[in-house]
Structures are given as structure tokens and as C-alpha cells.
């Protein structure tokens, strides 16, 4: 599997993968990603910022995620405790294409994100998910993330929503 920085010509496939993820979350009875986020506009901003990545195998896009090196305002306050107090990288909008789930794609995306974070000089990677998103929580724990506590989203259409914050210490 290779990882590439997404380009404008990838936006349709990214939006297709995201739409499928939104349907799956809805089928789980979750309100996560049901209010317009992540949108085409958000992904276009990620593409422009060169922080959207794609997992590609044999020319097929199997997953997408955003990798960010700036502090996430939603992570400033946590009901619990982050593993680190310093700078961190974060991963957002992690989604796997239909037909590629259960094949380790998410784990490989997390590992790639860990490598990006190490290369950028960070000691940890943070991420969050809905308290009811058990498949993602399982994938996070399998990848070595530790549950740190509850956060509330700041800004956007999901403002105030509760999420569980996870952090992974880099070796």
C-alpha cells in the first residue's frame, strides 16, 4: 500500500468514501457526520493545505484521512487527561472505502500518520471519535491509541458534540 497526498482530481472519490462512511454511521444509529461534516468544502481545504492523504493499492483508493500539525481547538479542554502536555499531531476524517473494511486499511493509515508525526518531530498523535462509534474505537485501540477522556467539539456544524479523545505515544 502506498500513501499519497490527495489532489483536486481525487475529490469525487474522497466524497464517495465519506458518503459511505456517513451512511454506515447512520446505520449504527449515530449522529456523527450527519450534519454536513465532513463536506466537500472541508476536503477541498485539506487538499489545498496538502494535509489530505489517500491509501492506495494497485491504483485503487482504499481510504482517506487528514493529518494536521496545528493544535486542535477541540482538544484544549478534556474531561480526563491527555498522555502528553506538549505539541502533538492529529488525524481527522479517517474513512475506509466500501469493500476495503476489515482488511487493515485503517491500521495502515494510522501507522502512516505515526510516521508523518515522527518525521515532523512530534511525540504523539491525537484523534477523537463518537462515544458510540465502537468500530472506530476498536481500530484505535488496535493501533495503540489510548482513551484519554471526553472532549466537546469546538466550531462547525457539530459544535458542542461529545467525542472521546484518544492519544498514541510515538516511540
Amino acid at each position: 500500500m502506498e500513501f499519497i497526498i490527495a489532489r483536486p482530481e481525487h475529490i469525487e472519490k474522497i466524497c464517495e468514501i465519506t458518503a459511505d462512511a456517513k451512511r454506515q454511521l447512520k446505520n449504527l444509529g449515530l449522529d456523527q457526520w450527519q450534519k454536513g461534516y465532513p463536506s466537500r468544502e472541508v476536503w477541498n481545504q485539506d487538499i489545498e493545505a496538502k494535509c489530505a492523504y489517500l491509501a492506495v493499492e494497485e491504483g485503487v483508493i482504499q481510504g482517506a484521512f487528514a493529518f494536521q500539525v496545528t493544535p486542535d481547538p477541540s482538544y484544549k479542554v478534556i474531561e480526563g487527561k491527555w498522555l502528553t502536555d506538549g505539541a502533538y499531531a492529529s488525524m481527522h476524517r479517517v474513512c475506509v472505502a466500501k469493500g476495503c473494511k476489515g482488511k487493515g486499511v485503517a491500521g495502515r493509515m494510522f501507522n502512516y500518520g505515526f510516521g508523518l508525526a515522527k518525521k515532523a518531530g512530534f511525540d504523539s498523535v491525537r484523534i477523537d471519535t463518537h462515544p458510540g462509534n465502537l468500530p472506530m474505537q476498536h481500530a484505535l485501540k488496535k493501533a495503540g491509541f489510548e482513551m484519554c477522556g471526553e472532549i466537546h467539539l469546538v466550531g462547525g456544524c457539530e459544535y458542542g458534540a461529545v467525542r472521546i479523545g484518544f492519544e498514541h505515544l510515538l516511540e
Side-chain angles (χ1 to χ4, degrees), residues 37 73-74 152-161:
Y37 171 90
S74 297
H152 294 268
L153 297 180
V154 175
C157 59
E158 294 186 332
Y159 180 84

Side-chain angles (χ1 to χ4, degrees), residues 30-32 72 74-75 77-82 90-92 110 125-138 140-141 145-153 158 160-168:
L30 305 179
D31 61 356
Q32 183 178 10
D72 187 315
S74 297
Y75 296 170
V77 176
I78 185 167
E79 295 168 24
K81 185 166 177 31
W82 292 112
S90 59
M91 294 177 73
H92 295 284
F110 293 136
V125 175
R126 293 180 183 175
I127 194 168
D128 64 88
T129 193
H130 191 285
N133 191 343
L134 301 181
M136 178 57 84
Q137 289 180 42
H138 174 74
L140 292 171
K141 290 173 185 171
F145 281 94
E146 292 183 45
M147 189 181 298
C148 296
E150 285 187 358
I151 62 152
H152 294 268
L153 297 180
E158 294 186 332
V162 174
R163 297 290 182 261
I164 299 175
F166 289 80
E167 190 167 17
H168 176 80

